[in-house]
Structure formats: C-alpha cells, structure tokens
C-alpha cells in the first residue's frame, strides 16, 4: 500500500496548489503521482489485484492534471490525458465529462455533445454535468451571435444589400437570396467559420428546467 499512499501524497499536494491557482505546479504533482506505477511490472496475481486498487487513483490524478491543462488553456493535452484515462476505465463518467469540458473550451461542439451524452448514460447525477451542458449551450449561442455581428446581420436577412444585385435579381428575390447565400459561404470559408447548430439534444436538456440554479463547475477530487 506504500505506493498508493505515495500517490495520495502527490494528489493532496497538487490539490493544495490547484486551489491557490498555481496550476502549473499542481499539474506537475498530479502527473508525478499518476506516474508512480508507470514502470512497475505486474507478474503475480497479487500484483494484478493490487493494480486494480491503484487504477482508480491513477485515473483521478490524470483527470486532475487534465483540469490544470484546461485552466492553462492547453486543451489538446487535457484531451490526451482524458483519452488515456478512458483507456484505463472506459466506464468512468468523469473522464468523459472532463474531456467534454476541454472540447467545449476547444470549440469542438459535436465531440463535447457526444461526451456529455455518454456521461448522462453512465451516470446522470455526475457532479458538473449540468454546468457543462449550460456552458456548451452558452458558448454555441455566443459564437452564433459573433458570426451574426461579423456579417452585419446578413445571416438572418437573406438578400441583404450588403452585396450588389442586378435588376433581374431585384425582380426575383430567390435569385438574390441564393447569391447572398453563396457570398456568405465564400466568406465563411475564407475566414474559417462554420455553421453551428445552437440546439442541444433533448436528452441533455430535459432535466435542466428542474434545477433551481446553475450547477457549479466540478472541482478536482
């Protein structure tokens, strides 16, 4: 059990720095704790039984380190750690929730949505789930508004005078609308923008109205 105790020492020290906002130091401690068993070989049955006891602590340390990466805006590293945690335990709801948080920060709406649905399927009462659903919805709606401002409201008003139209197009609104849509698509392609569906699946939203306030962000364990 000495090795598990060592992992818990790293975890406790990392959480102390995390709570004080020193995410770089916290991340290094969490990673050091998760690495305690990295080069440890399991030959006997007793060792494999012990490994099963260690696994939950290793996953927790990896997810805590992922939280630090998210705070440090290093979302790709956070996603990599979550992927590794899922390989250890594919039914660990918090691994998908933490990865969803990174995807939301990374503006990868579809993958975030998939992970949130997975969390709900595994454990709908997972702390932080409703918070991340609301966060995803808010960021998607914010991006849509940003696009709308960037195009001067053109996305909501097909055929706007933002581009020139011919007399024939003025007599045929559908032609003008199509020309406008083509212009929007070209502009969006140039600026690297994409269409965003601001709706979320009913499976994610059906319980939201029952909550009396916004659930807070999940903290490190």
């Amino acid at each position: 059990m000495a090795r598990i105790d060592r992992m818990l020492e790293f975890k406790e020290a990392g959480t102390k720095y995390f709570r004080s906002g020193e995410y770089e130091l916290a991340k290094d401690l969490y990673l050091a704790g998760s690495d305690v068993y990295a080069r440890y070989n399991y030959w006997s049955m007793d060792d494999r039984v012990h490994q099963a006891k260690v696994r939950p602590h290793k996953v927790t340390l990896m997810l805590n380190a992922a939280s630090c990466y998210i705070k440090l805006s290093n979302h790709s590293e956070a996603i990599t750690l979550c992927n590794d945690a899922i390989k250890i335990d594919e039914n660990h709801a918090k691994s998908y929730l933490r990865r969803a948080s990174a995807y939301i920060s990374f503006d990868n709406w579809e993958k975030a949505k998939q992970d949130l649905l997975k969390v709900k399927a595994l454990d709908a009462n997972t702390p932080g789930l409703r918070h991340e659903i609301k966060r995803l919805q808010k960021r998607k709606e914010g991006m849509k508004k940003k696009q709308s401002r960037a195009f001067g409201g053109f996305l909501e008003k097909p055929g706007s005078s933002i581009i020139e139209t011919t007399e024939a197009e003025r007599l045929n609104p559908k032609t003008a609308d199509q020309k406008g849509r083509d212009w929007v698509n070209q502009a969006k392609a140039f600026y690297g923008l994409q269409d965003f569906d601001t709706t979320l699946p009913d499976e994610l939203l059906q319980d939201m109205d029952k909550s009396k306030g916004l659930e807070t962000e999940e903290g490190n364990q």
Side-chain angles (χ1 to χ4, degrees):
M1 296 300 291
R3 290 177 183 268
I4 291 180
D5 291 339
R6 185 63 174 155
M7 294 175 81
L8 294 176
E9 288 176 2
F10 278 113
K11 174 175 167 288
E12 183 178 352
T15 300
K16 177 181 177 181
Y17 284 110
F18 184 89
R19 289 174 176 168
S20 65
E22 299 181 69
Y23 303 120
E24 192 70 45
L25 286 172
K27 178 259 297 178
D28 290 342
L29 287 165
Y30 288 139
L31 290 177
S34 70
D35 199 45
V36 167
Y37 270 77
R39 289 176 292 277
Y40 188 69
N41 295 316
Y42 299 93
W43 294 302
S44 70
M45 178 59 72
D46 288 341
D47 286 336
R48 288 195 292 272
V49 170
H50 195 50
Q51 184 185 25
K53 295 179 180 179
V54 168
R55 195 173 292 123
H57 298 293
K58 183 175 180 66
V59 168
T60 295
L61 284 159
M62 294 169 73
L63 295 181
N64 286 357
S67 285
C68 295
Y69 276 125
I70 292 172
K71 293 291 188 182
L72 294 167
S73 298
N74 192 340
H75 309 302
S76 59
E77 286 295 333
I79 291 169
T80 297
L81 274 177
C82 292
N83 290 340
D84 291 340
I86 290 170
K87 290 177 183 177
I88 295 174
D89 183 357
E90 62 181 10
N91 293 316
H92 195 274
K94 289 186 178 179
S95 297
Y96 295 96
L97 182 66
R98 196 61 49 82
R99 190 171 69 178
S101 180
Y103 279 139
I104 293 169
S105 299
F106 212 37
D107 291 340
N108 193 326
W109 316 131
E110 287 305 315
K111 288 188 176 181
K113 187 189 299 184
Q114 292 169 15
D115 276 350
L116 292 174
L117 286 170
K118 181 69 172 180
V119 175
K120 186 163 187 180
L122 290 170
D123 182 3
N125 295 316
T126 300
L129 175 57
R130 285 194 293 272
H131 170 78
E132 294 300 341
I133 293 172
K134 283 290 190 182
R135 182 166 165 254
L136 173 59
Q137 191 174 38
K138 183 177 180 180
R139 285 180 70 93
K140 289 177 69 167
E141 291 173 350
M143 180 59 73
K144 189 172 181 66
K145 291 178 181 178
K146 183 177 180 181
Q147 285 195 7
S148 179
R149 288 194 299 269
F151 289 105
F154 187 73
L155 291 176
E156 286 73 28
K157 297 179 180 179
S160 167
S161 59
I162 194 170
I163 56 174
E164 295 182 359
T165 57
T166 65
E167 181 63 26
E169 289 169 342
R170 282 193 288 272
L171 295 174
N172 189 343
K174 289 185 178 180
T175 302
D177 287 352
Q178 185 56 53
K179 184 175 181 180
R181 292 297 176 187
D182 291 342
W183 181 87
V184 169
N185 290 333
Q186 291 174 11
K188 287 164 70 176
F190 179 81
Y191 289 106
L193 300 175
Q194 55 182 303
D195 288 315
F196 292 103
D197 177 11
T198 59
T199 62
L200 292 178
D202 291 340
E203 300 96 302
L204 290 179
L205 297 175
Q206 62 187 9
D207 296 328
M208 296 305 300
D209 292 337
K210 299 176 183 177
S211 176
K212 288 291 185 186
L214 180 62
E215 186 180 84
T216 59
E217 177 183 7
E218 179 201 11
N220 276 359
Q221 301 177 54

